[in-house]
């Protein structure tokens, strides 16, 4: 991704402009199923990772939950700009989440952008990454993120894929949404002049991770990941994981 937190804001602005103003590119597919409620602890065995096609079917759509515009994001759009790099190795898991290179690497991923519909007003916007991992890699990723959030609350220096500064001023643990088999939530403040605030929520369901990036274009202090959207996505992934 082009420049860490700033590309999240740019993508959110794009989906808000296209999805809410013109209605272009809406993802109308879906089975109209889940509307909330996470998968309970212990219900999802790690098992075989889902394929890219299965992840596509498991991605939440506007048919699953009211009040959101949801669009597909291609692998190229997501990964354009390469990997982010943290100066401190302890903070690299967060930098990786901001970029397009992950360690351990998922077997397959699909991407969505979302914008919360509030009449003519722009609400919360952001991105969703659904990834399937081999072995115990999904669990390892969550463990590494927890450690990084704890170690890097004072912020850290980082560079985007082009080598430009993409420093983080502050990392703040947020309330665990308690969805999927395990989950965590945190926010970060971009160290640039804009001081963009981005919220992250990560939920593991078996060998799959649902990763949310959330911003608020009109009031950065209210950036959030909508809990109803998070629950709808985790429930849908849970059904796919169990099938």
């Amino acid at each position: 991704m082009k420049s860490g937190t700033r590309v999240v804001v740019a993508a959110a602005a794009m989906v808000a402009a296209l999805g809410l103003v013109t209605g272009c590119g809406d993802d109308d597919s879906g089975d109209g199923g889940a509307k909330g409620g996470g998968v309970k602890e212990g219900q999802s065995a790690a098992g075989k990772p889902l394929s890219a096609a299965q992840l596509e079917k498991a991605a939440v759509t506007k048919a699953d939950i009211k009040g959101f515009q949801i669009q597909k994001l291609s692998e190229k759009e997501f990964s354009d700009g390469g990997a982010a790099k943290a100066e401190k190795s302890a903070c690299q898991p967060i930098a990786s989440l901001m970029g397009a290179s992950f360690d351990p690497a998922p077997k397959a991923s699909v991407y969505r952008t979302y914008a919360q519909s509030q009449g003519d007003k722009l609400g919360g916007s952001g991105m969703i990454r659904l990834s399937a991992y081999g072995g115990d890699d999904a669990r390892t990723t969550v463990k590494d993120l927890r450690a990084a959030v704890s170690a890097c609350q004072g912020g850290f220096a980082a560079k985007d894929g082009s080598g430009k500064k993409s420093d983080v001023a502050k990392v703040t643990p947020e309330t665990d949404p308690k969805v999927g088999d395990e989950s965590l939530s945190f926010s970060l403040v971009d160290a640039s002049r804009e001081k963009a605030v981005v919220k992250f929520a990560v939920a593991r369901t078996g060998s799959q991770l649902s990763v949310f990036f959330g911003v608020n274009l009109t009031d950065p202090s209210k950036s959030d990941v909508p809990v109803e959207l998070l629950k709808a996505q985790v429930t849908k992934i849970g059904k796919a994981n169990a099938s």
Side-chain angles (χ1 to χ4, degrees), residues 114-222:
Y114 70 86
Q116 198 163 11
S117 303
Q118 296 181 346
D120 294 332
K121 297 180 180 180
L122 298 180
S125 306
M127 292 189 288
I128 307 169
R129 172 172 65 88
L130 304 181
S131 296
Y133 288 79
D136 210 31
D137 286 353
R139 198 186 304 268
T140 297
T141 299
V142 173
K143 179 181 177 181
D144 290 347
L145 276 171
R146 288 191 195 281
V149 170
S150 177
C152 303
Q153 294 183 37
F156 57 92
K159 294 182 179 179
D160 65 16
S162 67
K164 293 181 180 179
K165 287 174 65 67
S166 187
D167 296 350
V168 171
K170 183 179 180 181
V171 178
T172 304
E174 303 285 347
T175 302
D176 186 344
K178 296 184 179 179
V179 292
D181 296 328
E182 58 178 331
S183 56
L184 74 153
S185 180
F186 63 96
S187 64
L188 61 82
V189 179
D190 184 44
S192 69
R193 183 173 58 186
E194 292 81 8
K195 303 297 182 187
V197 178
V198 183
K199 293 290 183 73
F200 294 84
V202 180
R204 182 180 66 82
T205 306
S207 294
Q208 283 59 242
L209 290 185
S210 301
V211 180
F212 280 71
F213 313 72
V215 299
N216 189 297
L217 298 173
T218 56
D219 187 349
S221 68
K222 295 181 179 178

Side-chain angles (χ1 to χ4, degrees), residues 33-114:
K35 292 193 189 311
V39 181
K40 298 297 184 182
E41 177 71 33
Q43 283 188 342
S44 299
K48 185 178 179 180
L50 298 178
S51 66
Q54 289 173 314
L55 289 174
E56 285 285 355
K57 290 182 179 179
V60 71
T61 73
K62 70 176 186 178
D64 298 315
I65 183 168
K66 294 180 179 179
F68 292 89
Q69 296 288 343
I70 298 172
Q71 299 176 327
K72 291 183 180 181
L73 190 70
S74 71
E75 176 77 33
K76 184 180 184 304
E77 288 171 317
F78 180 84
S79 61
D80 185 27
K85 179 70 174 178
E87 188 174 284
K88 298 178 182 178
S89 59
C91 304
Q92 185 56 39
I94 298 175
S96 295
L97 207 66
M98 294 158 53
S101 180
F102 311 103
D103 183 20
K107 297 290 186 181
S109 295
V110 301
Y111 313 94
R112 298 292 187 267
T113 58
Y114 70 86

